[in-house]
mmCIF file with all atom_site columns, all heavy atoms in Angstrom:
data_model
loop_
_atom_site.group_PDB
_atom_site.id
_atom_site.type_symbol
_atom_site.label_atom_id
_atom_site.label_alt_id
_atom_site.label_comp_id
_atom_site.label_asym_id
_atom_site.label_entity_id
_atom_site.label_seq_id
_atom_site.pdbx_PDB_ins_code
_atom_site.Cartn_x
_atom_site.Cartn_y
_atom_site.Cartn_z
_atom_site.occupancy
_atom_site.B_iso_or_equiv
_atom_site.pdbx_formal_charge
_atom_site.auth_seq_id
_atom_site.auth_comp_id
_atom_site.auth_asym_id
_atom_site.auth_atom_id
_atom_site.pdbx_PDB_model_num
ATOM 1   N N   . ALA A 1 1  ? -23.697 -43.378 -47.936 1.00 0.00 ? 20 ALA A N   1
ATOM 2   C CA  . ALA A 1 1  ? -22.398 -42.870 -47.940 1.00 0.00 ? 20 ALA A CA  1
ATOM 3   C C   . ALA A 1 1  ? -22.237 -41.670 -48.819 1.00 0.00 ? 20 ALA A C   1
ATOM 4   O O   . ALA A 1 1  ? -22.569 -41.730 -50.016 1.00 0.00 ? 20 ALA A O   1
ATOM 5   C CB  . ALA A 1 1  ? -21.367 -44.007 -48.355 1.00 0.00 ? 20 ALA A CB  1
ATOM 6   N N   . GLU A 1 2  ? -21.769 -40.614 -48.262 1.00 0.00 ? 21 GLU A N   1
ATOM 7   C CA  . GLU A 1 2  ? -21.718 -39.305 -49.017 1.00 0.00 ? 21 GLU A CA  1
ATOM 8   C C   . GLU A 1 2  ? -20.694 -39.407 -50.172 1.00 0.00 ? 21 GLU A C   1
ATOM 9   O O   . GLU A 1 2  ? -20.937 -38.775 -51.258 1.00 0.00 ? 21 GLU A O   1
ATOM 10  C CB  . GLU A 1 2  ? -21.238 -38.205 -48.056 1.00 0.00 ? 21 GLU A CB  1
ATOM 11  C CG  . GLU A 1 2  ? -22.273 -37.866 -47.025 1.00 0.00 ? 21 GLU A CG  1
ATOM 12  C CD  . GLU A 1 2  ? -21.748 -36.859 -46.031 1.00 0.00 ? 21 GLU A CD  1
ATOM 13  O OE1 . GLU A 1 2  ? -20.573 -36.508 -46.116 1.00 0.00 ? 21 GLU A OE1 1
ATOM 14  O OE2 . GLU A 1 2  ? -22.479 -36.401 -45.172 1.00 0.00 ? 21 GLU A OE2 1
ATOM 15  N N   . ASP A 1 3  ? -19.629 -40.106 -50.075 1.00 0.00 ? 22 ASP A N   1
ATOM 16  C CA  . ASP A 1 3  ? -18.533 -40.171 -51.129 1.00 0.00 ? 22 ASP A CA  1
ATOM 17  C C   . ASP A 1 3  ? -18.717 -41.360 -52.043 1.00 0.00 ? 22 ASP A C   1
ATOM 18  O O   . ASP A 1 3  ? -17.844 -41.626 -52.920 1.00 0.00 ? 22 ASP A O   1
ATOM 19  C CB  . ASP A 1 3  ? -17.198 -40.128 -50.477 1.00 0.00 ? 22 ASP A CB  1
ATOM 20  C CG  . ASP A 1 3  ? -16.863 -38.846 -49.789 1.00 0.00 ? 22 ASP A CG  1
ATOM 21  O OD1 . ASP A 1 3  ? -17.551 -37.805 -50.101 1.00 0.00 ? 22 ASP A OD1 1
ATOM 22  O OD2 . ASP A 1 3  ? -15.947 -38.871 -48.937 1.00 0.00 ? 22 ASP A OD2 1
ATOM 23  N N   . LEU A 1 4  ? -19.810 -42.107 -51.904 1.00 0.00 ? 23 LEU A N   1
ATOM 24  C CA  . LEU A 1 4  ? -20.049 -43.259 -52.729 1.00 0.00 ? 23 LEU A CA  1
ATOM 25  C C   . LEU A 1 4  ? -20.718 -42.777 -53.978 1.00 0.00 ? 23 LEU A C   1
ATOM 26  O O   . LEU A 1 4  ? -21.949 -42.464 -53.967 1.00 0.00 ? 23 LEU A O   1
ATOM 27  C CB  . LEU A 1 4  ? -20.849 -44.315 -52.007 1.00 0.00 ? 23 LEU A CB  1
ATOM 28  C CG  . LEU A 1 4  ? -21.166 -45.634 -52.799 1.00 0.00 ? 23 LEU A CG  1
ATOM 29  C CD1 . LEU A 1 4  ? -19.924 -46.302 -53.261 1.00 0.00 ? 23 LEU A CD1 1
ATOM 30  C CD2 . LEU A 1 4  ? -21.990 -46.543 -51.917 1.00 0.00 ? 23 LEU A CD2 1
ATOM 31  N N   . THR A 1 5  ? -19.895 -42.773 -55.199 1.00 0.00 ? 24 THR A N   1
ATOM 32  C CA  . THR A 1 5  ? -20.550 -42.313 -56.455 1.00 0.00 ? 24 THR A CA  1
ATOM 33  C C   . THR A 1 5  ? -21.080 -43.402 -57.256 1.00 0.00 ? 24 THR A C   1
ATOM 34  O O   . THR A 1 5  ? -21.700 -43.149 -58.334 1.00 0.00 ? 24 THR A O   1
ATOM 35  C CB  . THR A 1 5  ? -19.488 -41.548 -57.249 1.00 0.00 ? 24 THR A CB  1
ATOM 36  O OG1 . THR A 1 5  ? -18.346 -42.349 -57.407 1.00 0.00 ? 24 THR A OG1 1
ATOM 37  C CG2 . THR A 1 5  ? -19.040 -40.315 -56.431 1.00 0.00 ? 24 THR A CG2 1
ATOM 38  N N   . ILE A 1 6  ? -20.897 -44.685 -56.848 1.00 0.00 ? 25 ILE A N   1
ATOM 39  C CA  . ILE A 1 6  ? -21.490 -45.840 -57.536 1.00 0.00 ? 25 ILE A CA  1
ATOM 40  C C   . ILE A 1 6  ? -22.985 -45.790 -57.214 1.00 0.00 ? 25 ILE A C   1
ATOM 41  O O   . ILE A 1 6  ? -23.378 -45.818 -56.022 1.00 0.00 ? 25 ILE A O   1
ATOM 42  C CB  . ILE A 1 6  ? -20.915 -47.104 -57.155 1.00 0.00 ? 25 ILE A CB  1
ATOM 43  C CG1 . ILE A 1 6  ? -19.350 -47.117 -57.494 1.00 0.00 ? 25 ILE A CG1 1
ATOM 44  C CG2 . ILE A 1 6  ? -21.570 -48.327 -57.789 1.00 0.00 ? 25 ILE A CG2 1
ATOM 45  C CD1 . ILE A 1 6  ? -18.563 -48.314 -56.904 1.00 0.00 ? 25 ILE A CD1 1
ATOM 46  N N   . SER A 1 7  ? -23.843 -45.789 -58.196 1.00 0.00 ? 26 SER A N   1
ATOM 47  C CA  . SER A 1 7  ? -25.257 -45.651 -58.020 1.00 0.00 ? 26 SER A CA  1
ATOM 48  C C   . SER A 1 7  ? -25.861 -47.002 -57.680 1.00 0.00 ? 26 SER A C   1
ATOM 49  O O   . SER A 1 7  ? -25.564 -48.022 -58.302 1.00 0.00 ? 26 SER A O   1
ATOM 50  C CB  . SER A 1 7  ? -25.941 -45.109 -59.284 1.00 0.00 ? 26 SER A CB  1
ATOM 51  O OG  . SER A 1 7  ? -27.325 -45.168 -59.137 1.00 0.00 ? 26 SER A OG  1
ATOM 52  N N   . PRO A 1 8  ? -26.796 -47.043 -56.736 1.00 0.00 ? 27 PRO A N   1
ATOM 53  C CA  . PRO A 1 8  ? -27.584 -48.315 -56.455 1.00 0.00 ? 27 PRO A CA  1
ATOM 54  C C   . PRO A 1 8  ? -28.420 -48.695 -57.634 1.00 0.00 ? 27 PRO A C   1
ATOM 55  O O   . PRO A 1 8  ? -28.833 -49.838 -57.674 1.00 0.00 ? 27 PRO A O   1
ATOM 56  C CB  . PRO A 1 8  ? -28.447 -47.944 -55.165 1.00 0.00 ? 27 PRO A CB  1
ATOM 57  C CG  . PRO A 1 8  ? -28.476 -46.480 -55.141 1.00 0.00 ? 27 PRO A CG  1
ATOM 58  C CD  . PRO A 1 8  ? -27.170 -45.972 -55.767 1.00 0.00 ? 27 PRO A CD  1
ATOM 59  N N   . MET A 1 9  ? -28.720 -47.786 -58.503 1.00 0.00 ? 28 MET A N   1
ATOM 60  C CA  . MET A 1 9  ? -29.460 -48.156 -59.736 1.00 0.00 ? 28 MET A CA  1
ATOM 61  C C   . MET A 1 9  ? -28.654 -49.045 -60.692 1.00 0.00 ? 28 MET A C   1
ATOM 62  O O   . MET A 1 9  ? -29.196 -49.788 -61.418 1.00 0.00 ? 28 MET A O   1
ATOM 63  C CB  . MET A 1 9  ? -29.877 -46.891 -60.497 1.00 0.00 ? 28 MET A CB  1
ATOM 64  C CG  . MET A 1 9  ? -30.742 -45.908 -59.768 1.00 0.00 ? 28 MET A CG  1
ATOM 65  S SD  . MET A 1 9  ? -32.479 -46.565 -59.605 1.00 0.00 ? 28 MET A SD  1
ATOM 66  C CE  . MET A 1 9  ? -33.028 -46.246 -61.294 1.00 0.00 ? 28 MET A CE  1
ATOM 67  N N   . MET A 1 10 ? -27.324 -48.905 -60.545 1.00 0.00 ? 29 MET A N   1
ATOM 68  C CA  . MET A 1 10 ? -26.468 -49.724 -61.329 1.00 0.00 ? 29 MET A CA  1
ATOM 69  C C   . MET A 1 10 ? -25.881 -50.987 -60.599 1.00 0.00 ? 29 MET A C   1
ATOM 70  O O   . MET A 1 10 ? -25.759 -52.012 -61.218 1.00 0.00 ? 29 MET A O   1
ATOM 71  C CB  . MET A 1 10 ? -25.253 -48.892 -61.855 1.00 0.00 ? 29 MET A CB  1
ATOM 72  C CG  . MET A 1 10 ? -24.272 -49.601 -62.709 1.00 0.00 ? 29 MET A CG  1
ATOM 73  S SD  . MET A 1 10 ? -22.862 -48.648 -63.182 1.00 0.00 ? 29 MET A SD  1
ATOM 74  C CE  . MET A 1 10 ? -22.044 -48.346 -61.707 1.00 0.00 ? 29 MET A CE  1
ATOM 75  N N   . ASN A 1 11 ? -25.630 -50.829 -59.264 1.00 0.00 ? 30 ASN A N   1
ATOM 76  C CA  . ASN A 1 11 ? -25.017 -51.887 -58.509 1.00 0.00 ? 30 ASN A CA  1
ATOM 77  C C   . ASN A 1 11 ? -25.744 -52.037 -57.127 1.00 0.00 ? 30 ASN A C   1
ATOM 78  O O   . ASN A 1 11 ? -25.704 -51.137 -56.333 1.00 0.00 ? 30 ASN A O   1
ATOM 79  C CB  . ASN A 1 11 ? -23.546 -51.579 -58.345 1.00 0.00 ? 30 ASN A CB  1
ATOM 80  C CG  . ASN A 1 11 ? -22.785 -52.665 -57.634 1.00 0.00 ? 30 ASN A CG  1
ATOM 81  O OD1 . ASN A 1 11 ? -23.323 -53.584 -57.060 1.00 0.00 ? 30 ASN A OD1 1
ATOM 82  N ND2 . ASN A 1 11 ? -21.443 -52.714 -57.769 1.00 0.00 ? 30 ASN A ND2 1
ATOM 83  N N   . PRO A 1 12 ? -26.438 -53.145 -56.962 1.00 0.00 ? 31 PRO A N   1
ATOM 84  C CA  . PRO A 1 12 ? -27.186 -53.359 -55.673 1.00 0.00 ? 31 PRO A CA  1
ATOM 85  C C   . PRO A 1 12 ? -26.217 -53.349 -54.433 1.00 0.00 ? 31 PRO A C   1
ATOM 86  O O   . PRO A 1 12 ? -26.677 -53.051 -53.323 1.00 0.00 ? 31 PRO A O   1
ATOM 87  C CB  . PRO A 1 12 ? -27.779 -54.643 -55.836 1.00 0.00 ? 31 PRO A CB  1
ATOM 88  C CG  . PRO A 1 12 ? -27.029 -55.442 -56.938 1.00 0.00 ? 31 PRO A CG  1
ATOM 89  C CD  . PRO A 1 12 ? -26.595 -54.353 -57.827 1.00 0.00 ? 31 PRO A CD  1
ATOM 90  N N   . ALA A 1 13 ? -24.926 -53.623 -54.624 1.00 0.00 ? 32 ALA A N   1
ATOM 91  C CA  . ALA A 1 13 ? -24.024 -53.514 -53.479 1.00 0.00 ? 32 ALA A CA  1
ATOM 92  C C   . ALA A 1 13 ? -23.969 -52.105 -52.920 1.00 0.00 ? 32 ALA A C   1
ATOM 93  O O   . ALA A 1 13 ? -23.558 -51.887 -51.735 1.00 0.00 ? 32 ALA A O   1
ATOM 94  C CB  . ALA A 1 13 ? -22.702 -54.003 -53.833 1.00 0.00 ? 32 ALA A CB  1
ATOM 95  N N   . ALA A 1 14 ? -24.332 -51.100 -53.738 1.00 0.00 ? 33 ALA A N   1
ATOM 96  C CA  . ALA A 1 14 ? -24.287 -49.705 -53.328 1.00 0.00 ? 33 ALA A CA  1
ATOM 97  C C   . ALA A 1 14 ? -25.638 -49.273 -52.691 1.00 0.00 ? 33 ALA A C   1
ATOM 98  O O   . ALA A 1 14 ? -25.806 -48.061 -52.360 1.00 0.00 ? 33 ALA A O   1
ATOM 99  C CB  . ALA A 1 14 ? -23.856 -48.828 -54.504 1.00 0.00 ? 33 ALA A CB  1
ATOM 100 N N   . ASP A 1 15 ? -26.604 -50.156 -52.651 1.00 0.00 ? 34 ASP A N   1
ATOM 101 C CA  . ASP A 1 15 ? -27.922 -49.776 -52.150 1.00 0.00 ? 34 ASP A CA  1
ATOM 102 C C   . ASP A 1 15 ? -28.075 -50.044 -50.720 1.00 0.00 ? 34 ASP A C   1
ATOM 103 O O   . ASP A 1 15 ? -28.037 -51.146 -50.186 1.00 0.00 ? 34 ASP A O   1
ATOM 104 C CB  . ASP A 1 15 ? -28.967 -50.645 -52.945 1.00 0.00 ? 34 ASP A CB  1
ATOM 105 C CG  . ASP A 1 15 ? -30.407 -50.241 -52.665 1.00 0.00 ? 34 ASP A CG  1
ATOM 106 O OD1 . ASP A 1 15 ? -30.599 -49.305 -51.714 1.00 0.00 ? 34 ASP A OD1 1
ATOM 107 O OD2 . ASP A 1 15 ? -31.334 -50.775 -53.242 1.00 0.00 ? 34 ASP A OD2 1
ATOM 108 N N   . PRO A 1 16 ? -28.192 -48.948 -49.821 1.00 0.00 ? 35 PRO A N   1
ATOM 109 C CA  . PRO A 1 16 ? -28.293 -49.144 -48.380 1.00 0.00 ? 35 PRO A CA  1
ATOM 110 C C   . PRO A 1 16 ? -29.563 -49.871 -47.954 1.00 0.00 ? 35 PRO A C   1
ATOM 111 O O   . PRO A 1 16 ? -29.645 -50.432 -46.880 1.00 0.00 ? 35 PRO A O   1
ATOM 112 C CB  . PRO A 1 16 ? -28.182 -47.762 -47.887 1.00 0.00 ? 35 PRO A CB  1
ATOM 113 C CG  . PRO A 1 16 ? -28.673 -46.867 -48.944 1.00 0.00 ? 35 PRO A CG  1
ATOM 114 C CD  . PRO A 1 16 ? -28.225 -47.530 -50.214 1.00 0.00 ? 35 PRO A CD  1
ATOM 115 N N   . GLU A 1 17 ? -30.509 -49.907 -48.886 1.00 0.00 ? 36 GLU A N   1
ATOM 116 C CA  . GLU A 1 17 ? -31.832 -50.567 -48.595 1.00 0.00 ? 36 GLU A CA  1
ATOM 117 C C   . GLU A 1 17 ? -31.872 -52.002 -48.984 1.00 0.00 ? 36 GLU A C   1
ATOM 118 O O   . GLU A 1 17 ? -32.901 -52.636 -48.987 1.00 0.00 ? 36 GLU A O   1
ATOM 119 C CB  . GLU A 1 17 ? -33.029 -49.747 -49.161 1.00 0.00 ? 36 GLU A CB  1
ATOM 120 C CG  . GLU A 1 17 ? -33.159 -48.399 -48.602 1.00 0.00 ? 36 GLU A CG  1
ATOM 121 C CD  . GLU A 1 17 ? -34.353 -47.634 -49.176 1.00 0.00 ? 36 GLU A CD  1
ATOM 122 O OE1 . GLU A 1 17 ? -35.083 -48.194 -49.986 1.00 0.00 ? 36 GLU A OE1 1
ATOM 123 O OE2 . GLU A 1 17 ? -34.469 -46.509 -48.742 1.00 0.00 ? 36 GLU A OE2 1
ATOM 124 N N   . ALA A 1 18 ? -30.746 -52.524 -49.458 1.00 0.00 ? 37 ALA A N   1
ATOM 125 C CA  . ALA A 1 18 ? -30.628 -53.908 -49.874 1.00 0.00 ? 37 ALA A CA  1
ATOM 126 C C   . ALA A 1 18 ? -29.514 -54.551 -49.092 1.00 0.00 ? 37 ALA A C   1
ATOM 127 O O   . ALA A 1 18 ? -28.588 -55.215 -49.574 1.00 0.00 ? 37 ALA A O   1
ATOM 128 C CB  . ALA A 1 18 ? -30.298 -54.031 -51.353 1.00 0.00 ? 37 ALA A CB  1
ATOM 129 N N   . LYS A 1 19 ? -29.573 -54.369 -47.781 1.00 0.00 ? 38 LYS A N   1
ATOM 130 C CA  . LYS A 1 19 ? -28.531 -54.886 -46.888 1.00 0.00 ? 38 LYS A CA  1
ATOM 131 C C   . LYS A 1 19 ? -28.991 -55.715 -45.714 1.00 0.00 ? 38 LYS A C   1
ATOM 132 O O   . LYS A 1 19 ? -28.333 -56.277 -44.932 1.00 0.00 ? 38 LYS A O   1
ATOM 133 C CB  . LYS A 1 19 ? -27.647 -53.725 -46.304 1.00 0.00 ? 38 LYS A CB  1
ATOM 134 C CG  . LYS A 1 19 ? -26.893 -53.009 -47.404 1.00 0.00 ? 38 LYS A CG  1
ATOM 135 C CD  . LYS A 1 19 ? -25.788 -53.942 -47.952 1.00 0.00 ? 38 LYS A CD  1
ATOM 136 C CE  . LYS A 1 19 ? -25.133 -53.300 -49.203 1.00 0.00 ? 38 LYS A CE  1
ATOM 137 N NZ  . LYS A 1 19 ? -26.016 -53.284 -50.424 1.00 0.00 ? 38 LYS A NZ  1
ATOM 138 N N   . GLY A 1 20 ? -30.346 -55.775 -45.505 1.00 0.00 ? 39 GLY A N   1
ATOM 139 C CA  . GLY A 1 20 ? -30.892 -56.510 -44.424 1.00 0.00 ? 39 GLY A CA  1
ATOM 140 C C   . GLY A 1 20 ? -31.110 -57.998 -44.732 1.00 0.00 ? 39 GLY A C   1
ATOM 141 O O   . GLY A 1 20 ? -31.010 -58.473 -45.874 1.00 0.00 ? 39 GLY A O   1
ATOM 142 N N   . GLY A 1 21 ? -31.431 -58.777 -43.699 1.00 0.00 ? 40 GLY A N   1
ATOM 143 C CA  . GLY A 1 21 ? -31.743 -60.168 -43.920 1.00 0.00 ? 40 GLY A CA  1
ATOM 144 C C   . GLY A 1 21 ? -31.688 -61.027 -42.621 1.00 0.00 ? 40 GLY A C   1
ATOM 145 O O   . GLY A 1 21 ? -31.528 -60.458 -41.560 1.00 0.00 ? 40 GLY A O   1
ATOM 146 N N   . GLN A 1 22 ? -31.805 -62.289 -42.752 1.00 0.00 ? 41 GLN A N   1
ATOM 147 C CA  . GLN A 1 22 ? -31.664 -63.203 -41.682 1.00 0.00 ? 41 GLN A CA  1
ATOM 148 C C   . GLN A 1 22 ? -31.121 -64.517 -42.243 1.00 0.00 ? 41 GLN A C   1
ATOM 149 O O   . GLN A 1 22 ? -31.341 -64.899 -43.352 1.00 0.00 ? 41 GLN A O   1
ATOM 150 C CB  . GLN A 1 22 ? -33.078 -63.435 -40.985 1.00 0.00 ? 41 GLN A CB  1
ATOM 151 C CG  . GLN A 1 22 ? -34.183 -63.997 -41.791 1.00 0.00 ? 41 GLN A CG  1
ATOM 152 C CD  . GLN A 1 22 ? -35.332 -64.175 -41.058 1.00 0.00 ? 41 GLN A CD  1
ATOM 153 O OE1 . GLN A 1 22 ? -35.409 -65.158 -40.247 1.00 0.00 ? 41 GLN A OE1 1
ATOM 154 N NE2 . GLN A 1 22 ? -36.397 -63.297 -41.186 1.00 0.00 ? 41 GLN A NE2 1
ATOM 155 N N   . ARG A 1 23 ? -30.522 -65.272 -41.291 1.00 0.00 ? 42 ARG A N   1
ATOM 156 C CA  . ARG A 1 23 ? -29.911 -66.529 -41.726 1.00 0.00 ? 42 ARG A CA  1
ATOM 157 C C   . ARG A 1 23 ? -29.834 -67.469 -40.525 1.00 0.00 ? 42 ARG A C   1
ATOM 158 O O   . ARG A 1 23 ? -29.562 -67.067 -39.403 1.00 0.00 ? 42 ARG A O   1
ATOM 159 C CB  . ARG A 1 23 ? -28.537 -66.287 -42.325 1.00 0.00 ? 42 ARG A CB  1
ATOM 160 C CG  . ARG A 1 23 ? -27.860 -67.543 -42.863 1.00 0.00 ? 42 ARG A CG  1
ATOM 161 C CD  . ARG A 1 23 ? -26.521 -67.250 -43.555 1.00 0.00 ? 42 ARG A CD  1
ATOM 162 N NE  . ARG A 1 23 ? -25.471 -66.819 -42.712 1.00 0.00 ? 42 ARG A NE  1
ATOM 163 C CZ  . ARG A 1 23 ? -25.030 -65.575 -42.697 1.00 0.00 ? 42 ARG A CZ  1
ATOM 164 N NH1 . ARG A 1 23 ? -25.457 -64.579 -43.446 1.00 0.00 ? 42 ARG A NH1 1
ATOM 165 N NH2 . ARG A 1 23 ? -24.017 -65.345 -41.863 1.00 0.00 ? 42 ARG A NH2 1
ATOM 166 N N   . LEU A 1 24 ? -29.912 -68.768 -40.805 1.00 0.00 ? 43 LEU A N   1
ATOM 167 C CA  . LEU A 1 24 ? -29.715 -69.760 -39.769 1.00 0.00 ? 43 LEU A CA  1
ATOM 168 C C   . LEU A 1 24 ? -28.547 -70.651 -40.298 1.00 0.00 ? 43 LEU A C   1
ATOM 169 O O   . LEU A 1 24 ? -28.615 -71.237 -41.416 1.00 0.00 ? 43 LEU A O   1
ATOM 170 C CB  . LEU A 1 24 ? -30.961 -70.633 -39.577 1.00 0.00 ? 43 LEU A CB  1
ATOM 171 C CG  . LEU A 1 24 ? -30.767 -71.939 -38.689 1.00 0.00 ? 43 LEU A CG  1
ATOM 172 C CD1 . LEU A 1 24 ? -30.479 -71.481 -37.280 1.00 0.00 ? 43 LEU A CD1 1
ATOM 173 C CD2 . LEU A 1 24 ? -32.037 -72.696 -38.698 1.00 0.00 ? 43 LEU A CD2 1
ATOM 174 N N   . ASP A 1 25 ? -27.515 -70.723 -39.552 1.00 0.00 ? 44 ASP A N   1
ATOM 175 C CA  . ASP A 1 25 ? -26.378 -71.596 -39.847 1.00 0.00 ? 44 ASP A CA  1
ATOM 176 C C   . ASP A 1 25 ? -26.235 -72.728 -38.876 1.00 0.00 ? 44 ASP A C   1
ATOM 177 O O   . ASP A 1 25 ? -26.636 -72.592 -37.643 1.00 0.00 ? 44 ASP A O   1
ATOM 178 C CB  . ASP A 1 25 ? -25.070 -70.851 -39.812 1.00 0.00 ? 44 ASP A CB  1
ATOM 179 C CG  . ASP A 1 25 ? -24.962 -69.774 -40.760 1.00 0.00 ? 44 ASP A CG  1
ATOM 180 O OD1 . ASP A 1 25 ? -24.725 -70.078 -41.939 1.00 0.00 ? 44 ASP A OD1 1
ATOM 181 O OD2 . ASP A 1 25 ? -25.082 -68.531 -40.421 1.00 0.00 ? 44 ASP A OD2 1
ATOM 182 N N   . ILE A 1 26 ? -25.758 -73.882 -39.281 1.00 0.00 ? 45 ILE A N   1
ATOM 183 C CA  . ILE A 1 26 ? -25.464 -75.017 -38.450 1.00 0.00 ? 45 ILE A CA  1
ATOM 184 C C   . ILE A 1 26 ? -23.949 -75.319 -38.474 1.00 0.00 ? 45 ILE A C   1
ATOM 185 O O   . ILE A 1 26 ? -23.375 -75.241 -39.621 1.00 0.00 ? 45 ILE A O   1
ATOM 186 C CB  . ILE A 1 26 ? -26.189 -76.345 -38.865 1.00 0.00 ? 45 ILE A CB  1
ATOM 187 C CG1 . ILE A 1 26 ? -27.691 -76.103 -38.800 1.00 0.00 ? 45 ILE A CG1 1
ATOM 188 C CG2 . ILE A 1 26 ? -25.763 -77.497 -38.042 1.00 0.00 ? 45 ILE A CG2 1
ATOM 189 C CD1 . ILE A 1 26 ? -28.240 -75.844 -37.425 1.00 0.00 ? 45 ILE A CD1 1
ATOM 190 N N   . GLY A 1 27 ? -23.288 -75.386 -37.343 1.00 0.00 ? 46 GLY A N   1
ATOM 191 C CA  . GLY A 1 27 ? -21.842 -75.598 -37.295 1.00 0.00 ? 46 GLY A CA  1
ATOM 192 C C   . GLY A 1 27 ? -21.488 -76.880 -36.541 1.00 0.00 ? 46 GLY A C   1
ATOM 193 O O   . GLY A 1 27 ? -22.088 -77.308 -35.656 1.00 0.00 ? 46 GLY A O   1
ATOM 194 N N   . VAL A 1 28 ? -20.389 -77.464 -37.072 1.00 0.00 ? 47 VAL A N   1
ATOM 195 C CA  . VAL A 1 28 ? -19.783 -78.625 -36.368 1.00 0.00 ? 47 VAL A CA  1
ATOM 196 C C   . VAL A 1 28 ? -18.362 -78.280 -36.106 1.00 0.00 ? 47 VAL A C   1
ATOM 197 O O   . VAL A 1 28 ? -17.680 -77.667 -36.874 1.00 0.00 ? 47 VAL A O   1
ATOM 198 C CB  . VAL A 1 28 ? -19.817 -79.840 -37.213 1.00 0.00 ? 47 VAL A CB  1
ATOM 199 C CG1 . VAL A 1 28 ? -21.289 -80.347 -37.377 1.00 0.00 ? 47 VAL A CG1 1
ATOM 200 C CG2 . VAL A 1 28 ? -19.185 -79.622 -38.622 1.00 0.00 ? 47 VAL A CG2 1
#
């Protein structure tokens, strides 16, 4: 994001390379 001034060095939520994953949920 061009206007995101929060650095990923400080906050992982601002790191675009820390957004992937996988999950298995069970629902009732």
Side-chain angles (χ1 to χ4, degrees):
E21 295 174 353
D22 294 339
L23 179 58
T24 57
I25 299 172
S26 171
M28 299 287 287
M29 181 181 69
N30 188 341
D34 187 355
E36 296 182 0
K38 294 294 171 286
Q41 58 176 287
R42 186 173 69 249
L43 174 64
D44 294 287
I45 299 297
V47 291

